[in-house]
């Protein structure tokens, strides 16, 4: 039976995994808000499969209370799509050609940069494989959220976690700066950053498209700064406080 509840199976599974720690409570009302997971010390864990920036107000509420908050966000490295009929019979299963990467996270951080380096804030980015369930409709329809440009003869009904391939925890400046390929040092433009990401054979081609947004977020976090403009391109380098530390022990995330 295909799940039709607003909370996807993916969200629920990740919530259950993180709540396994003894004493954790789920769906806790606190400070006028409802949190996914709260531990015995009132620290918070929020599972967010999309629109991570919407958690800014929740994050600030927790941080201002002196507690810790961890946001858990999955990026889809591999997705399978299963299409079902109204009677629950599976019609087809296929692998999606779209592949995600760790760099997709920068699409989600534009509204959170002000809290990313708070000592009580951390971000877990999970590289996952998942299955998206769809149900066939008798005629082309708009999606429930109304975002389709064109109507289609199916609707999404659920997302199911298949496997967590790797977990990346971001809780310091160094964690974020290590996402810059080492060949970009000592200074780089968005074009050069994009080219460096393209040469990494472990990444899908889509990773390079995040170069401009990555620079914007890291600049807003005061981790990199504009150094100069050459040939109409902006060149960036690490902020002075980070340069010596990172250049001496930089390694690329794998």
């Amino acid at each position: 039976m295909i799940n039709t509840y607003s909370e996807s199976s993916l969200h629920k599974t990740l919530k259950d995994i993180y709540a396994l720690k003894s004493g954790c409570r789920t769906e806790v009302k606190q400070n006028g808000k409802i949190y996914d997971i709260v531990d015995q010390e009132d620290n918070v864990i929020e599972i967010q499969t999309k629109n991570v920036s919407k958690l800014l107000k929740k994050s600030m509420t927790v941080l201002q209370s002196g507690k810790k908050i961890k946001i858990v966000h999955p990026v889809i490295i591999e997705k399978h799509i299963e299409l079902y009929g109204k009677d629950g019979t599976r019609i087809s299963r296929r692998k999606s050609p779209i592949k995600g990467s760790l760099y997709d996270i920068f699409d989600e951080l534009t509204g959170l940069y002000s809290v990313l380096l708070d000592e009580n804030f951390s971000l877990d980015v999970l590289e996952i494989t998942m299955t998206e369930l769809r149900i066939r409709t008798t005629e082309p329809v708009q999606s429930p959220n109304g975002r389709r440009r064109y109507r289609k003869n199916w609707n999404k009904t659920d997302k199911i976690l298949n496997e967590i391939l790797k977990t990346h925890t971001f809780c310091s400046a160094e964690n974020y700066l290590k996402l810059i390929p080492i060949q970009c040092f000592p200074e780089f433009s968005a074009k050069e950053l994009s080219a460096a990401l393209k040469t990494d054979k472990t990444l899908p081609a889509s990773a390079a498209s995040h170069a401009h947004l990555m620079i914007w977020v890291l600049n807003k976090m005061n981790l990199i700064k504009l150094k100069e403009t050459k040939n109409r391109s902006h060149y960036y380098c690490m902020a002075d406080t980070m340069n010596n530390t990172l250049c001496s022990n930089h390694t690329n995330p794998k």
Side-chain angles (χ1 to χ4, degrees):
M1 177 119 184
I2 298 174
N3 187 352
T4 56
Y5 292 106
S6 58
E7 181 184 47
S8 70
S9 295
L10 171 62
H11 185 280
K12 184 179 186 303
T13 301
L14 292 177
K15 184 169 65 176
D16 290 344
I17 289 172
Y18 274 82
L20 278 177
K21 185 177 179 181
S22 178
C24 285
R25 297 164 289 154
T26 60
E27 300 301 318
V28 179
K29 188 171 184 180
Q30 189 168 282
N31 300 320
K33 302 182 185 298
I34 298 177
Y35 298 101
D36 285 333
I37 303 169
V38 177
D39 69 14
Q40 291 177 318
E41 298 177 348
D42 288 336
N43 297 311
V44 171
I45 300 175
E46 280 289 307
I47 312 297
Q48 194 78 356
T49 58
K50 59 182 179 179
N51 300 323
V52 177
S53 288
K54 288 186 176 180
L55 291 179
L56 178 61
K57 288 184 178 180
K58 269 190 174 182
S59 298
M60 292 183 68
T61 298
V62 175
L63 296 173
Q64 289 168 1
S65 70
K67 301 300 181 179
K68 296 179 180 180
I69 181 168
K70 177 188 288 291
I71 294 177
V72 179
H73 176 67
V75 293
I76 304 168
I77 304 302
E78 181 179 293
K79 179 169 75 173
H80 287 86
I81 299 170
E82 292 185 356
L83 179 64
Y84 288 80
K86 286 188 175 181
D87 62 356
T89 303
R90 191 172 80 180
I91 298 171
S92 63
R93 176 179 168 85
R94 64 181 176 87
K95 184 178 178 180
S96 171
I98 300 174
K99 295 182 178 181
S101 76
L102 181 59
Y103 291 86
D104 292 352
I105 190 61
F106 286 100
D107 291 331
E108 303 287 342
L109 298 183
T110 55
L112 272 184
Y113 65 84
S114 60
V115 298
L116 294 177
L117 295 180
D118 190 287
E119 63 180 0
N120 285 330
F121 180 95
S122 63
L123 170 70
D124 276 5
V125 182
L126 313 181
E127 295 185 8
I128 70 165
T129 63
M130 61 157 281
T131 297
E132 178 180 289
L133 304 186
R134 298 175 179 178
I135 189 167
R136 175 75 76 187
T137 57
T138 55
E139 58 185 30
V141 295
Q142 178 57 271
S143 62
N145 59 20
R147 294 180 181 176
R148 281 181 178 165
R149 185 175 180 181
Y150 302 105
R151 293 174 182 267
K152 299 179 180 179
N153 61 344
W154 55 264
N155 267 325
K156 297 179 186 178
T157 58
D158 204 1
K159 298 177 181 178
I160 297 175
L161 175 67
N162 295 336
E163 184 181 2
I164 298 175
L165 302 173
K166 193 169 185 179
T167 300
H168 303 267
T169 298
F170 294 85
C171 56
S172 70
E174 184 175 358
N175 297 146
Y176 290 95
L177 286 170
K178 280 187 175 181
L179 293 175
I180 303 173
I182 194 169
Q183 60 265 42
C184 290
F185 296 121
E187 62 180 57
F188 58 91
S189 64
K191 183 178 180 180
E192 291 172 348
L193 175 58
S194 177
L197 294 174
K198 284 181 180 178
T199 62
D200 189 338
K201 301 303 181 183
T202 68
L203 298 172
S206 61
S209 67
H210 300 290
H212 282 89
L213 199 53
M214 180 177 173
I215 286 175
W216 187 90
V217 172
L218 295 180
N219 186 42
K220 285 290 187 178
M221 294 171 68
N222 295 316
L223 297 181
I224 62 173
K225 64 179 182 180
L226 177 64
K227 184 177 182 182
E228 59 182 329
T229 301
K230 297 186 295 186
N231 299 321
R232 301 175 68 179
S233 293
H234 296 313
Y235 278 78
Y236 296 83
C237 63
M238 286 188 189
D240 295 336
T241 55
M242 295 303 303
N243 192 49
N244 292 334
T245 301
L246 268 293
C247 286
S248 62
N249 62 5
H250 188 286
T251 56
N252 284 330
K254 296 297 180 184

